[in-house]
mmCIF file of all heavy atoms in Angstrom:
data_model
loop_
_atom_site.group_PDB
_atom_site.id
_atom_site.type_symbol
_atom_site.label_atom_id
_atom_site.label_comp_id
_atom_site.label_asym_id
_atom_site.label_seq_id
_atom_site.Cartn_x
_atom_site.Cartn_y
_atom_site.Cartn_z
ATOM 1 N N GLY Z 205 14.358 -5.803 17.031
ATOM 2 C CA GLY Z 205 15.702 -5.549 17.681
ATOM 3 C C GLY Z 205 16.489 -6.906 17.803
ATOM 4 O O GLY Z 205 17.631 -7.062 17.335
ATOM 5 N N PRO Z 206 15.855 -7.969 18.537
ATOM 6 C CA PRO Z 206 16.480 -9.217 18.606
ATOM 7 C C PRO Z 206 16.801 -9.800 17.195
ATOM 8 O O PRO Z 206 17.822 -10.418 17.040
ATOM 9 C CB PRO Z 206 15.491 -10.072 19.397
ATOM 10 C CG PRO Z 206 14.665 -9.137 20.118
ATOM 11 C CD PRO Z 206 14.578 -7.856 19.262
ATOM 12 N N LEU Z 207 15.822 -9.723 16.201
ATOM 13 C CA LEU Z 207 16.063 -10.241 14.983
ATOM 14 C C LEU Z 207 17.239 -9.546 14.206
ATOM 15 O O LEU Z 207 17.978 -10.174 13.631
ATOM 16 C CB LEU Z 207 14.734 -10.020 14.131
ATOM 17 C CG LEU Z 207 14.686 -10.656 12.665
ATOM 18 C CD1 LEU Z 207 14.741 -12.166 12.903
ATOM 19 C CD2 LEU Z 207 13.381 -10.325 11.990
ATOM 20 N N ALA Z 208 17.333 -8.246 14.257
ATOM 21 C CA ALA Z 208 18.469 -7.485 13.634
ATOM 22 C C ALA Z 208 19.708 -7.900 14.329
ATOM 23 O O ALA Z 208 20.817 -8.015 13.647
ATOM 24 C CB ALA Z 208 18.225 -5.989 13.796
ATOM 25 N N ASP Z 209 19.812 -8.095 15.620
ATOM 26 C CA ASP Z 209 21.037 -8.443 16.358
ATOM 27 C C ASP Z 209 21.373 -9.871 15.928
ATOM 28 O O ASP Z 209 22.581 -10.219 15.879
ATOM 29 C CB ASP Z 209 20.785 -8.480 17.928
ATOM 30 C CG ASP Z 209 20.780 -7.051 18.349
ATOM 31 O OD1 ASP Z 209 21.472 -6.069 17.827
ATOM 32 O OD2 ASP Z 209 20.156 -6.735 19.491
ATOM 33 N N ALA Z 210 20.424 -10.798 15.521
ATOM 34 C CA ALA Z 210 20.738 -12.134 15.164
ATOM 35 C C ALA Z 210 21.031 -12.303 13.656
ATOM 36 O O ALA Z 210 22.035 -13.088 13.338
ATOM 37 C CB ALA Z 210 19.424 -13.017 15.553
ATOM 38 N N ILE Z 211 20.294 -11.637 12.705
ATOM 39 C CA ILE Z 211 20.554 -11.983 11.314
ATOM 40 C C ILE Z 211 21.204 -10.790 10.564
ATOM 41 O O ILE Z 211 21.520 -10.895 9.450
ATOM 42 C CB ILE Z 211 19.200 -12.382 10.572
ATOM 43 C CG1 ILE Z 211 18.235 -11.092 10.592
ATOM 44 C CG2 ILE Z 211 18.539 -13.525 11.344
ATOM 45 C CD1 ILE Z 211 17.011 -11.417 9.734
ATOM 46 N N GLY Z 212 21.281 -9.725 11.237
ATOM 47 C CA GLY Z 212 21.939 -8.539 10.563
ATOM 48 C C GLY Z 212 20.837 -7.461 10.301
ATOM 49 O O GLY Z 212 19.836 -7.779 9.860
ATOM 50 N N VAL Z 213 21.118 -6.185 10.577
ATOM 51 C CA VAL Z 213 20.251 -5.129 10.234
ATOM 52 C C VAL Z 213 19.786 -4.929 8.861
ATOM 53 O O VAL Z 213 18.656 -4.502 8.552
ATOM 54 C CB VAL Z 213 20.787 -3.840 10.867
ATOM 55 C CG1 VAL Z 213 21.967 -3.311 10.039
ATOM 56 C CG2 VAL Z 213 19.783 -2.684 10.954
ATOM 57 N N GLU Z 214 20.698 -5.326 7.966
ATOM 58 C CA GLU Z 214 20.404 -5.122 6.566
ATOM 59 C C GLU Z 214 19.296 -6.024 6.019
ATOM 60 O O GLU Z 214 18.675 -5.703 5.027
ATOM 61 C CB GLU Z 214 21.711 -5.377 5.636
ATOM 62 C CG GLU Z 214 22.101 -6.759 5.536
ATOM 63 C CD GLU Z 214 22.985 -7.265 6.812
ATOM 64 O OE1 GLU Z 214 23.137 -6.512 7.727
ATOM 65 O OE2 GLU Z 214 23.435 -8.359 6.781
ATOM 66 N N GLN Z 215 19.093 -7.153 6.687
ATOM 67 C CA GLN Z 215 18.020 -8.078 6.347
ATOM 68 C C GLN Z 215 16.690 -7.435 6.609
ATOM 69 O O GLN Z 215 15.657 -7.724 5.845
ATOM 70 C CB GLN Z 215 18.158 -9.415 7.135
ATOM 71 C CG GLN Z 215 19.455 -10.115 6.897
ATOM 72 C CD GLN Z 215 19.632 -10.505 5.383
ATOM 73 O OE1 GLN Z 215 18.641 -11.000 4.695
ATOM 74 N NE2 GLN Z 215 20.893 -10.369 4.893
ATOM 75 N N LEU Z 216 16.635 -6.602 7.571
ATOM 76 C CA LEU Z 216 15.181 -5.913 7.772
ATOM 77 C C LEU Z 216 14.867 -5.058 6.571
ATOM 78 O O LEU Z 216 13.649 -4.829 6.276
ATOM 79 C CB LEU Z 216 15.303 -5.083 9.165
ATOM 80 C CG LEU Z 216 15.512 -5.895 10.400
ATOM 81 C CD1 LEU Z 216 15.454 -4.914 11.534
ATOM 82 C CD2 LEU Z 216 14.501 -6.955 10.519
ATOM 83 N N PHE Z 217 15.839 -4.482 5.916
ATOM 84 C CA PHE Z 217 15.568 -3.619 4.807
ATOM 85 C C PHE Z 217 15.025 -4.438 3.609
ATOM 86 O O PHE Z 217 14.122 -3.962 2.956
ATOM 87 C CB PHE Z 217 16.860 -2.801 4.417
ATOM 88 C CG PHE Z 217 17.089 -1.707 5.243
ATOM 89 C CD1 PHE Z 217 17.640 -1.840 6.543
ATOM 90 C CD2 PHE Z 217 16.905 -0.347 4.767
ATOM 91 C CE1 PHE Z 217 17.967 -0.768 7.320
ATOM 92 C CE2 PHE Z 217 17.253 0.709 5.579
ATOM 93 C CZ PHE Z 217 17.673 0.599 6.829
ATOM 94 N N ILE Z 218 15.507 -5.679 3.502
ATOM 95 C CA ILE Z 218 15.014 -6.521 2.344
ATOM 96 C C ILE Z 218 13.558 -6.846 2.745
ATOM 97 O O ILE Z 218 12.738 -6.725 1.747
ATOM 98 C CB ILE Z 218 15.914 -7.812 2.276
ATOM 99 C CG1 ILE Z 218 17.364 -7.367 1.777
ATOM 100 C CG2 ILE Z 218 15.299 -8.732 1.322
ATOM 101 C CD1 ILE Z 218 18.316 -8.559 1.796
ATOM 102 N N ILE Z 219 13.355 -7.314 3.883
ATOM 103 C CA ILE Z 219 11.898 -7.555 4.400
ATOM 104 C C ILE Z 219 10.968 -6.478 4.157
ATOM 105 O O ILE Z 219 9.832 -6.612 3.650
ATOM 106 C CB ILE Z 219 11.935 -8.086 5.800
ATOM 107 C CG1 ILE Z 219 12.759 -9.451 5.907
ATOM 108 C CG2 ILE Z 219 10.575 -8.328 6.324
ATOM 109 C CD1 ILE Z 219 13.032 -9.878 7.360
ATOM 110 N N ALA Z 220 11.450 -5.252 4.534
ATOM 111 C CA ALA Z 220 10.627 -4.060 4.456
ATOM 112 C C ALA Z 220 10.308 -3.739 2.989
ATOM 113 O O ALA Z 220 9.254 -3.485 2.549
ATOM 114 C CB ALA Z 220 11.144 -2.871 5.102
ATOM 115 N N GLY Z 221 11.280 -3.920 2.073
ATOM 116 C CA GLY Z 221 11.129 -3.712 0.729
ATOM 117 C C GLY Z 221 10.132 -4.576 0.015
ATOM 118 O O GLY Z 221 9.216 -4.057 -0.688
ATOM 119 N N ILE Z 222 10.087 -5.820 0.367
ATOM 120 C CA ILE Z 222 9.214 -6.829 -0.209
ATOM 121 C C ILE Z 222 7.816 -6.527 0.285
ATOM 122 O O ILE Z 222 6.884 -6.554 -0.545
ATOM 123 C CB ILE Z 222 9.608 -8.257 0.254
ATOM 124 C CG1 ILE Z 222 10.981 -8.642 -0.444
ATOM 125 C CG2 ILE Z 222 8.593 -9.197 -0.170
ATOM 126 C CD1 ILE Z 222 11.556 -9.977 0.055
ATOM 127 N N SER Z 223 7.596 -6.129 1.518
ATOM 128 C CA SER Z 223 6.302 -5.908 2.028
ATOM 129 C C SER Z 223 5.702 -4.604 1.450
ATOM 130 O O SER Z 223 4.458 -4.570 1.218
ATOM 131 C CB SER Z 223 6.323 -5.704 3.665
ATOM 132 O OG SER Z 223 7.082 -4.473 3.942
ATOM 133 N N ALA Z 224 6.586 -3.607 1.177
ATOM 134 C CA ALA Z 224 5.966 -2.400 0.471
ATOM 135 C C ALA Z 224 5.485 -2.703 -0.929
ATOM 136 O O ALA Z 224 4.462 -2.126 -1.281
ATOM 137 C CB ALA Z 224 7.096 -1.349 0.475
ATOM 138 N N ALA Z 225 6.206 -3.447 -1.593
ATOM 139 C CA ALA Z 225 5.801 -3.836 -2.972
ATOM 140 C C ALA Z 225 4.527 -4.664 -2.852
ATOM 141 O O ALA Z 225 3.615 -4.486 -3.808
ATOM 142 C CB ALA Z 225 6.863 -4.674 -3.656
ATOM 143 N N ILE Z 226 4.362 -5.590 -1.915
ATOM 144 C CA ILE Z 226 3.168 -6.452 -1.801
ATOM 145 C C ILE Z 226 2.000 -5.465 -1.494
ATOM 146 O O ILE Z 226 0.869 -5.575 -2.093
ATOM 147 C CB ILE Z 226 3.300 -7.428 -0.633
ATOM 148 C CG1 ILE Z 226 4.281 -8.585 -1.157
ATOM 149 C CG2 ILE Z 226 1.949 -8.083 -0.293
ATOM 150 C CD1 ILE Z 226 4.626 -9.453 0.040
ATOM 151 N N SER Z 227 2.284 -4.509 -0.705
ATOM 152 C CA SER Z 227 1.088 -3.435 -0.317
ATOM 153 C C SER Z 227 0.680 -2.704 -1.582
ATOM 154 O O SER Z 227 -0.531 -2.551 -1.743
ATOM 155 C CB SER Z 227 1.690 -2.459 0.708
ATOM 156 O OG SER Z 227 2.073 -3.042 1.859
ATOM 157 N N GLY Z 228 1.587 -2.347 -2.437
ATOM 158 C CA GLY Z 228 1.255 -1.643 -3.783
ATOM 159 C C GLY Z 228 0.404 -2.646 -4.618
ATOM 160 O O GLY Z 228 -0.611 -2.080 -5.288
ATOM 161 N N ILE Z 229 0.887 -3.851 -4.769
ATOM 162 C CA ILE Z 229 0.117 -4.746 -5.573
ATOM 163 C C ILE Z 229 -1.275 -5.019 -5.112
ATOM 164 O O ILE Z 229 -2.228 -4.967 -5.853
ATOM 165 C CB ILE Z 229 0.904 -6.099 -5.644
ATOM 166 C CG1 ILE Z 229 2.210 -5.993 -6.293
ATOM 167 C CG2 ILE Z 229 0.055 -7.225 -6.251
ATOM 168 C CD1 ILE Z 229 3.096 -7.222 -6.221
ATOM 169 N N VAL Z 230 -1.493 -5.223 -3.815
ATOM 170 C CA VAL Z 230 -2.826 -5.373 -3.203
ATOM 171 C C VAL Z 230 -3.699 -4.147 -3.372
ATOM 172 O O VAL Z 230 -4.926 -4.302 -3.842
ATOM 173 C CB VAL Z 230 -2.746 -5.735 -1.685
ATOM 174 C CG1 VAL Z 230 -4.114 -5.716 -1.031
ATOM 175 C CG2 VAL Z 230 -2.051 -7.040 -1.424
ATOM 176 N N ALA Z 231 -3.123 -2.934 -3.279
ATOM 177 C CA ALA Z 231 -3.950 -1.792 -3.496
ATOM 178 C C ALA Z 231 -4.398 -1.552 -4.873
ATOM 179 O O ALA Z 231 -5.450 -1.058 -5.191
ATOM 180 C CB ALA Z 231 -3.037 -0.496 -3.033
ATOM 181 N N TRP Z 232 -3.505 -1.975 -5.833
ATOM 182 C CA TRP Z 232 -3.844 -1.870 -7.293
ATOM 183 C C TRP Z 232 -4.930 -2.883 -7.652
ATOM 184 O O TRP Z 232 -5.735 -2.585 -8.480
ATOM 185 C CB TRP Z 232 -2.657 -2.179 -8.080
ATOM 186 C CG TRP Z 232 -2.782 -2.079 -9.553
ATOM 187 C CD1 TRP Z 232 -3.044 -3.020 -10.452
ATOM 188 C CD2 TRP Z 232 -2.778 -0.854 -10.396
ATOM 189 N NE1 TRP Z 232 -3.291 -2.601 -11.763
ATOM 190 C CE2 TRP Z 232 -3.085 -1.211 -11.689
ATOM 191 C CE3 TRP Z 232 -2.594 0.472 -10.088
ATOM 192 C CZ2 TRP Z 232 -3.103 -0.305 -12.702
ATOM 193 C CZ3 TRP Z 232 -2.618 1.372 -11.133
ATOM 194 C CH2 TRP Z 232 -2.857 1.040 -12.453
ATOM 195 N N LEU Z 233 -4.988 -4.031 -6.973
ATOM 196 C CA LEU Z 233 -5.808 -5.134 -7.421
ATOM 197 C C LEU Z 233 -7.352 -4.945 -6.768
ATOM 198 O O LEU Z 233 -8.257 -5.659 -7.239
ATOM 199 C CB LEU Z 233 -5.310 -6.502 -6.881
ATOM 200 C CG LEU Z 233 -4.073 -6.931 -7.730
ATOM 201 C CD1 LEU Z 233 -3.582 -8.253 -7.110
ATOM 202 C CD2 LEU Z 233 -4.377 -7.040 -9.177
ATOM 203 N N ILE Z 234 -7.371 -4.029 -5.840
ATOM 204 C CA ILE Z 234 -8.744 -3.853 -5.151
ATOM 205 C C ILE Z 234 -9.421 -2.636 -5.792
ATOM 206 O O ILE Z 234 -8.922 -1.537 -5.572
ATOM 207 C CB ILE Z 234 -8.567 -3.699 -3.634
ATOM 208 C CG1 ILE Z 234 -7.965 -4.922 -2.963
ATOM 209 C CG2 ILE Z 234 -9.925 -3.454 -2.969
ATOM 210 C CD1 ILE Z 234 -7.697 -4.777 -1.517
ATOM 211 N N PRO Z 235 -10.506 -2.801 -6.593
ATOM 212 C CA PRO Z 235 -11.006 -1.619 -7.286
ATOM 213 C C PRO Z 235 -11.393 -0.444 -6.320
ATOM 214 O O PRO Z 235 -11.274 0.734 -6.671
ATOM 215 C CB PRO Z 235 -12.299 -2.185 -8.093
ATOM 216 C CG PRO Z 235 -11.837 -3.702 -8.190
ATOM 217 C CD PRO Z 235 -11.078 -3.997 -6.940
ATOM 218 N N VAL Z 236 -12.041 -0.782 -5.232
ATOM 219 C CA VAL Z 236 -12.604 0.300 -4.384
ATOM 220 C C VAL Z 236 -11.438 1.057 -3.707
ATOM 221 O O VAL Z 236 -11.666 2.291 -3.336
ATOM 222 C CB VAL Z 236 -13.490 -0.306 -3.171
ATOM 223 C CG1 VAL Z 236 -12.657 -1.132 -2.210
ATOM 224 C CG2 VAL Z 236 -14.313 0.722 -2.578
ATOM 225 N N VAL Z 237 -10.244 0.543 -3.767
ATOM 226 C CA VAL Z 237 -9.072 1.260 -3.253
ATOM 227 C C VAL Z 237 -8.500 2.092 -4.346
ATOM 228 O O VAL Z 237 -8.302 3.330 -4.268
ATOM 229 C CB VAL Z 237 -8.089 0.234 -2.693
ATOM 230 C CG1 VAL Z 237 -6.680 1.060 -2.396
ATOM 231 C CG2 VAL Z 237 -8.575 -0.336 -1.382
ATOM 232 N N LYS Z 238 -8.347 1.318 -5.447
ATOM 233 C CA LYS Z 238 -7.614 2.013 -6.721
ATOM 234 C C LYS Z 238 -8.488 3.214 -7.130
ATOM 235 O O LYS Z 238 -7.821 4.249 -7.545
ATOM 236 C CB LYS Z 238 -7.499 1.032 -7.809
ATOM 237 C CG LYS Z 238 -6.908 1.616 -9.142
ATOM 238 C CD LYS Z 238 -6.826 0.481 -10.083
ATOM 239 C CE LYS Z 238 -6.311 0.991 -11.402
ATOM 240 N NZ LYS Z 238 -6.288 -0.181 -12.478
ATOM 241 N N ASN Z 239 -9.779 3.140 -6.992
ATOM 242 C CA ASN Z 239 -10.722 4.169 -7.578
ATOM 243 C C ASN Z 239 -11.323 5.138 -6.414
ATOM 244 O O ASN Z 239 -12.252 5.813 -6.696
ATOM 245 C CB ASN Z 239 -11.768 3.562 -8.429
ATOM 246 C CG ASN Z 239 -11.259 2.822 -9.630
ATOM 247 O OD1 ASN Z 239 -10.412 3.349 -10.338
ATOM 248 N ND2 ASN Z 239 -11.778 1.621 -9.833
ATOM 249 N N TYR Z 240 -10.675 4.982 -5.231
ATOM 250 C CA TYR Z 240 -11.279 5.664 -4.130
ATOM 251 C C TYR Z 240 -11.388 7.180 -4.313
ATOM 252 O O TYR Z 240 -12.399 7.891 -4.186
ATOM 253 C CB TYR Z 240 -10.481 5.453 -2.814
ATOM 254 C CG TYR Z 240 -11.070 6.145 -1.612
ATOM 255 C CD1 TYR Z 240 -12.133 5.694 -0.993
ATOM 256 C CD2 TYR Z 240 -10.556 7.408 -1.202
ATOM 257 C CE1 TYR Z 240 -12.718 6.308 0.104
ATOM 258 C CE2 TYR Z 240 -11.091 8.078 -0.063
ATOM 259 C CZ TYR Z 240 -12.185 7.534 0.554
ATOM 260 O OH TYR Z 240 -12.795 8.199 1.512
ATOM 261 N N ASP Z 241 -10.287 7.837 -4.870
ATOM 262 C CA ASP Z 241 -10.315 9.286 -5.032
ATOM 263 C C ASP Z 241 -11.222 9.622 -6.252
ATOM 264 O O ASP Z 241 -11.953 10.658 -6.066
ATOM 265 C CB ASP Z 241 -8.935 9.748 -5.307
ATOM 266 C CG ASP Z 241 -8.806 11.282 -5.414
ATOM 267 O OD1 ASP Z 241 -9.537 11.949 -4.494
ATOM 268 O OD2 ASP Z 241 -8.226 11.930 -6.265
ATOM 269 N N ARG Z 242 -11.392 8.864 -7.236
ATOM 270 C CA ARG Z 242 -12.193 9.165 -8.349
ATOM 271 C C ARG Z 242 -13.687 9.133 -7.900
ATOM 272 O O ARG Z 242 -14.482 10.057 -8.194
ATOM 273 C CB ARG Z 242 -11.934 8.176 -9.451
ATOM 274 C CG ARG Z 242 -12.740 8.472 -10.658
ATOM 275 C CD ARG Z 242 -12.354 7.414 -11.827
ATOM 276 N NE ARG Z 242 -10.950 7.636 -12.253
ATOM 277 C CZ ARG Z 242 -10.263 6.800 -12.870
ATOM 278 N NH1 ARG Z 242 -10.711 5.608 -13.145
ATOM 279 N NH2 ARG Z 242 -8.991 7.155 -13.154
ATOM 280 N N ASN Z 243 -14.039 8.157 -7.085
ATOM 281 C CA ASN Z 243 -15.341 8.083 -6.550
ATOM 282 C C ASN Z 243 -15.628 9.291 -5.506
ATOM 283 O O ASN Z 243 -16.696 9.876 -5.514
ATOM 284 C CB ASN Z 243 -15.515 6.752 -5.855
ATOM 285 C CG ASN Z 243 -15.525 5.573 -6.746
ATOM 286 O OD1 ASN Z 243 -15.780 5.731 -8.087
ATOM 287 N ND2 ASN Z 243 -15.146 4.351 -6.310
ATOM 288 N N LEU Z 244 -14.632 9.566 -4.767
ATOM 289 C CA LEU Z 244 -14.697 10.662 -3.788
ATOM 290 C C LEU Z 244 -14.985 11.924 -4.619
ATOM 291 O O LEU Z 244 -15.935 12.843 -4.018
ATOM 292 C CB LEU Z 244 -13.532 10.827 -2.923
ATOM 293 C CG LEU Z 244 -13.396 12.020 -2.035
ATOM 294 C CD1 LEU Z 244 -14.454 12.045 -0.931
ATOM 295 C CD2 LEU Z 244 -12.041 12.136 -1.362
ATOM 296 N N GLN Z 245 -14.286 12.294 -5.628
ATOM 297 C CA GLN Z 245 -14.473 13.554 -6.267
ATOM 298 C C GLN Z 245 -15.832 13.558 -7.014
ATOM 299 O O GLN Z 245 -16.431 14.641 -6.982
ATOM 300 C CB GLN Z 245 -13.365 13.710 -7.391
ATOM 301 C CG GLN Z 245 -11.971 13.844 -6.865
ATOM 302 C CD GLN Z 245 -11.784 14.931 -5.776
ATOM 303 O OE1 GLN Z 245 -12.384 16.043 -5.916
ATOM 304 N NE2 GLN Z 245 -11.024 14.674 -4.744
ATOM 305 N N SER Z 246 -16.286 12.410 -7.448
ATOM 306 C CA SER Z 246 -17.631 12.451 -8.077
ATOM 307 C C SER Z 246 -18.708 12.707 -7.073
ATOM 308 O O SER Z 246 -19.670 13.440 -7.322
ATOM 309 C CB SER Z 246 -17.935 10.986 -8.711
ATOM 310 O OG SER Z 246 -16.952 10.782 -9.673
ATOM 311 N N ARG Z 247 -18.534 12.235 -5.834
ATOM 312 C CA ARG Z 247 -19.544 12.422 -4.723
ATOM 313 C C ARG Z 247 -19.544 13.899 -4.320
ATOM 314 O O ARG Z 247 -20.539 14.482 -4.128
ATOM 315 C CB ARG Z 247 -19.142 11.469 -3.493
ATOM 316 C CG ARG Z 247 -20.262 11.567 -2.511
ATOM 317 C CD ARG Z 247 -20.177 10.396 -1.387
ATOM 318 N NE ARG Z 247 -18.958 10.644 -0.624
ATOM 319 C CZ ARG Z 247 -17.903 9.910 -0.684
ATOM 320 N NH1 ARG Z 247 -17.697 8.900 -1.518
ATOM 321 N NH2 ARG Z 247 -16.831 10.208 0.160
ATOM 322 N N LEU Z 248 -18.285 14.412 -4.213
ATOM 323 C CA LEU Z 248 -18.226 15.875 -3.814
ATOM 324 C C LEU Z 248 -18.799 16.716 -4.868
ATOM 325 O O LEU Z 248 -19.429 17.779 -4.580
ATOM 326 C CB LEU Z 248 -16.743 16.228 -3.499
ATOM 327 C CG LEU Z 248 -16.014 15.611 -2.358
ATOM 328 C CD1 LEU Z 248 -14.556 15.909 -2.258
ATOM 329 C CD2 LEU Z 248 -16.760 16.009 -1.103
ATOM 330 N N ALA Z 249 -18.646 16.414 -6.172
ATOM 331 C CA ALA Z 249 -19.179 17.293 -7.200
ATOM 332 C C ALA Z 249 -20.684 17.180 -7.198
ATOM 333 O O ALA Z 249 -21.358 18.199 -7.442
ATOM 334 C CB ALA Z 249 -18.598 16.790 -8.536
ATOM 335 N N LEU Z 250 -21.193 16.032 -6.919
ATOM 336 C CA LEU Z 250 -22.626 15.808 -6.761
ATOM 337 C C LEU Z 250 -23.239 16.587 -5.741
ATOM 338 O O LEU Z 250 -24.441 17.154 -5.801
ATOM 339 C CB LEU Z 250 -22.998 14.322 -6.697
ATOM 340 C CG LEU Z 250 -24.560 13.985 -6.734
ATOM 341 C CD1 LEU Z 250 -25.024 14.418 -8.136
ATOM 342 C CD2 LEU Z 250 -24.638 12.446 -6.512
ATOM 343 N N GLN Z 251 -22.509 16.703 -4.592
ATOM 344 C CA GLN Z 251 -23.048 17.478 -3.394
ATOM 345 C C GLN Z 251 -23.153 18.938 -3.760
ATOM 346 O O GLN Z 251 -23.900 19.662 -3.136
ATOM 347 C CB GLN Z 251 -22.069 17.170 -2.163
ATOM 348 C CG GLN Z 251 -22.168 15.892 -1.654
ATOM 349 C CD GLN Z 251 -21.165 15.638 -0.523
ATOM 350 O OE1 GLN Z 251 -20.258 16.448 -0.230
ATOM 351 N NE2 GLN Z 251 -21.098 14.447 0.079
#
């Protein structure tokens, strides 16, 4: 709230967009995250 009142509400959208892209990059670079569902399906099939 105070930040948007000070620098403009549109700046929060730029910050949010950058953080979302960073989240996607990190998820892609961590193998246990990227392959979580593949490993889950293999475990369920084995059960």
Side-chain angles (χ1 to χ4, degrees):
L207 189 62
D209 286 332
I211 67 174
V213 66
E214 72 280 3
Q215 299 299 321
L216 295 185
F217 281 74
I218 298 175
I219 295 171
I222 294 172
S223 68
I226 292 174
S227 299
I229 293 171
V230 173
W232 181 265
L233 293 177
I234 301 177
V236 73
V237 172
K238 181 181 177 181
N239 299 315
Y240 181 78
D241 187 43
R242 186 173 294 161
N243 296 333
L244 172 64
Q245 296 306 320
S246 298
R247 189 169 71 250
L248 291 174
L250 188 62
Q251 290 173 358

